[in-house]
Amino acid sequence: MSKLTGSKKATQFTESVIREMTRLNALYGGVNLSQGFPDFPAPAEVKQAACAAIEADVNQYAVTWGARPLREAVASGFSRRYGLPVSADEQVTVCCGSTEAMMSTMMAIIDPGDEVVIFEPFYENYGPDAIRSGATPRYVTLHEPDWTFDPDELTAAFNAKTKAVILNTPNNPTGKVFTRDELETIAALCRKWDAIAISDEIYEHIIYDGHRHVPIATIDGMADRTVTINGLSKTYSVTGWRVGWTISPPSLTGAIRKVHDFLTVGAAAPLQEAGAVALGLPDGYYLDLAARYQRRRDMLLEILERHHFTCYKPYGAYYIMTDVRAFGCTNDVEFARYLVKEVGVATVPGSSFYKDPARGRTKVRFCFCKRDETLLEADRRLEKLVPVGVPR
Ligand code: GLN
């Protein structure tokens, strides 16, 4: 047999459906409510800081695990917000986006035969991350409408082989914000089975209706067994800069830094300088960010409900999961293709967030990190869509 093929691991996962939907959107000239990136500008101070860093010739490699000002800003910001001491030298590693942060962490901690517990629906990268790192994923379902998990199902997913659980709160794609009680349940299992929590908290500041973000690292006994992942992308509307980081217990930092170093050497040096400036923005910036997103959430919810989508109201992040049975949809992929091609609105098919595609067959995800004009244009285009049994 020819050796001119991809590896076995590489054939076990597909192209990212999220990125594919953005490409289809470009092909059909749609309104892109699929891949979650803002279509409005980043804060002026942050952009100016990046330009100033390039002008000042911060153009060579930063320290492989991250420029000191950014690492210090990450450490002091987390300590200030959550009262947990973090050492910039021993715990923070800057990566090329939280995507690389997650992959470096997985590759740094997983041995063949290790199992990783993943909540579904999940952000689609976690599946390939598990396969690439050699982990066996064990999925635990979050059940709509409020995306709760069954504690017995979670308990049954943990065993002596469990190396880690991947958590994402506020959650993509559901908008769920894990409560302290839920995190206590997860933490108790981590402690019982000596497992690591890998917590993707990229939507930390995008949270609504008085909900509060609780980092699992702050739960009793978890600081020493949690890798917290975050980045500039969502908080500062710079998804294309690819600057993210891990906050890890010192016992894991060396392994993560080694993997990160040989994968990418380091994230863009001038953008790390700008990141340190971004993290220094006053508290008002974050309140304003959340308030603006809450308004956009309400706007898109109203639009989608008026167009007969069943919406699961999100309390964090910038996505709305919907059920599309009203349109007679039994195949989310076909429906999403129809939406982008014939209606002109790009979404992400629900099945791409589930291990078993059947669970997502009647769902599609919309994002609302967009200007009002963009959401209003989607509203106009969705007029074309007619639910089953409604005469026109
Ligand atoms: N997190 C965003 C989403 O879910 C973008 C993902 C990506 O393409 N890196 O749409």
Coordinates of all heavy atoms in Angstrom, one line a residue, residues 168 170-177 203 206-208 293 297 314-319 368:
N168 N -15.3 24.0 29.4 CA -15.3 25.3 28.7 C -16.4 26.1 29.2 O -17.6 25.8 29.0 CB -15.5 25.0 27.2 CG -15.7 26.3 26.4 OD1 -16.4 26.3 25.4 ND2 -15.0 27.4 26.8
P170 N -17.5 30.3 30.3 CA -18.7 30.2 29.6 C -18.6 29.3 28.3 O -17.5 29.4 27.7 CB -19.1 31.6 29.2 CG -18.4 32.5 30.3 CD -17.2 31.8 30.6
N171 N -19.6 28.6 28.0 CA -19.5 27.5 27.0 C -19.8 27.9 25.6 O -20.8 28.5 25.3 CB -20.4 26.4 27.5 CG -20.3 25.1 26.6 OD1 -21.1 24.9 25.8 ND2 -19.2 24.4 26.9
N172 N -19.0 27.4 24.7 CA -19.2 27.4 23.2 C -19.6 26.0 22.9 O -18.8 25.1 23.2 CB -17.9 27.8 22.5 CG -18.0 27.7 21.0 OD1 -19.1 27.5 20.5 ND2 -16.9 27.9 20.3
P173 N -20.7 25.6 22.3 CA -21.7 26.5 21.6 C -22.9 26.9 22.4 O -23.8 27.5 21.9 CB -22.1 25.6 20.5 CG -22.1 24.2 21.1 CD -21.0 24.2 22.0
T174 N -23.1 26.4 23.7 CA -24.4 26.5 24.3 C -24.7 27.8 25.1 O -25.8 28.1 25.3 CB -24.5 25.4 25.4 OG1 -23.6 25.6 26.4 CG2 -24.3 24.0 24.8
G175 N -23.6 28.5 25.4 CA -23.8 29.7 26.2 C -24.0 29.4 27.7 O -24.3 30.3 28.5
K176 N -23.8 28.1 28.1 CA -24.0 27.7 29.5 C -22.8 28.3 30.3 O -21.7 28.4 29.9 CB -23.9 26.2 29.6 CG -23.9 25.7 31.0 CD -23.6 24.2 31.0 CE -23.5 23.6 32.4 NZ -24.8 23.6 33.1
V177 N -23.1 28.8 31.5 CA -22.1 29.2 32.5 C -22.2 28.2 33.6 O -23.2 28.1 34.3 CB -22.4 30.6 33.0 CG1 -21.3 31.0 34.0 CG2 -22.4 31.6 31.9
Y203 N -14.1 32.9 27.1 CA -15.3 33.8 27.2 C -15.5 34.4 28.6 O -16.6 34.8 28.9 CB -16.5 33.1 26.6 CG -16.4 32.6 25.2 CD1 -16.1 31.3 25.0 CD2 -16.5 33.5 24.1 CE1 -15.9 30.8 23.7 CE2 -16.3 33.0 22.8 CZ -16.0 31.7 22.6 OH -15.8 31.2 21.3
I206 N -17.3 37.6 28.8 CA -18.5 37.7 28.0 C -19.6 36.9 28.7 O -19.8 35.7 28.4 CB -18.3 37.3 26.5 CG1 -17.1 38.2 26.0 CG2 -19.5 37.5 25.7 CD1 -16.7 37.8 24.6
I207 N -20.3 37.6 29.6 CA -21.3 36.9 30.5 C -22.4 37.9 30.8 O -22.2 39.1 30.9 CB -20.4 36.5 31.7 CG1 -21.1 35.4 32.5 CG2 -20.0 37.6 32.6 CD1 -20.1 34.6 33.4
Y208 N -23.6 37.3 30.9 CA -24.9 38.1 31.0 C -25.7 37.9 32.2 O -25.6 36.9 32.9 CB -25.7 37.7 29.7 CG -24.9 37.7 28.4 CD1 -24.9 36.5 27.7 CD2 -24.1 38.8 28.0 CE1 -24.1 36.4 26.5 CE2 -23.4 38.7 26.9 CZ -23.3 37.5 26.1 OH -22.6 37.5 25.0
Y293 N -22.4 43.0 24.3 CA -22.7 41.6 23.8 C -24.1 41.2 24.3 O -24.8 40.5 23.6 CB -21.7 40.6 24.3 CG -20.6 40.5 23.2 CD1 -19.2 40.7 23.6 CD2 -20.8 40.2 21.9 CE1 -18.2 40.6 22.7 CE2 -19.8 40.1 21.0 CZ -18.5 40.3 21.3 OH -17.5 40.3 20.4
R297 N -27.0 39.9 21.9 CA -27.6 38.6 22.2 C -29.1 38.8 22.1 O -29.9 38.0 21.4 CB -27.3 38.1 23.6 CG -28.0 36.8 23.9 CD -28.1 36.5 25.4 NE -28.9 37.6 26.1 CZ -29.2 37.5 27.4 NH1 -28.8 36.4 28.1 NH2 -29.8 38.5 28.0
P314 N -28.5 32.0 25.7 CA -27.1 31.9 26.3 C -26.9 32.9 27.4 O -27.4 34.0 27.4 CB -26.2 32.2 25.1 CG -27.0 33.1 24.2 CD -28.5 32.8 24.4
Y315 N -26.2 32.5 28.4 CA -25.8 33.3 29.5 C -24.4 33.8 29.5 O -23.9 34.5 30.4 CB -26.2 32.7 30.9 CG -27.7 32.4 30.9 CD1 -28.2 31.2 30.7 CD2 -28.6 33.5 31.1 CE1 -29.6 31.0 30.7 CE2 -29.9 33.3 31.1 CZ -30.5 32.1 30.9 OH -31.8 31.9 30.8
G316 N -23.7 33.3 28.5 CA -22.3 33.7 28.3 C -21.8 33.3 26.9 O -22.6 32.7 26.2
A317 N -20.6 33.7 26.5 CA -20.1 33.5 25.2 C -20.9 34.2 24.1 O -21.9 35.0 24.5 CB -19.9 32.0 24.8
Y318 N -20.6 34.1 22.8 CA -21.4 34.8 21.9 C -22.1 34.0 20.8 O -22.0 34.3 19.6 CB -20.7 36.0 21.3 CG -19.3 35.9 20.8 CD1 -18.9 34.9 20.0 CD2 -18.3 36.9 21.2 CE1 -17.6 34.9 19.5 CE2 -17.0 36.9 20.7 CZ -16.6 35.9 19.8 OH -15.4 35.8 19.3
Y319 N -22.7 32.9 21.2 CA -23.4 32.0 20.3 C -24.8 31.7 20.8 O -25.1 31.8 22.0 CB -22.7 30.7 20.2 CG -21.2 30.9 19.9 CD1 -20.3 30.9 20.9 CD2 -20.7 31.1 18.6 CE1 -18.9 31.1 20.7 CE2 -19.4 31.3 18.3 CZ -18.5 31.3 19.4 OH -17.2 31.5 19.1
F368 N -23.2 36.0 17.4 CA -23.7 37.3 17.3 C -22.7 38.4 17.7 O -22.9 39.5 18.1 CB -25.0 37.5 18.2 CG -24.8 37.1 19.7 CD1 -24.3 38.0 20.6 CD2 -25.2 35.8 20.1 CE1 -24.1 37.6 21.9 CE2 -25.1 35.4 21.4 CZ -24.5 36.3 22.3

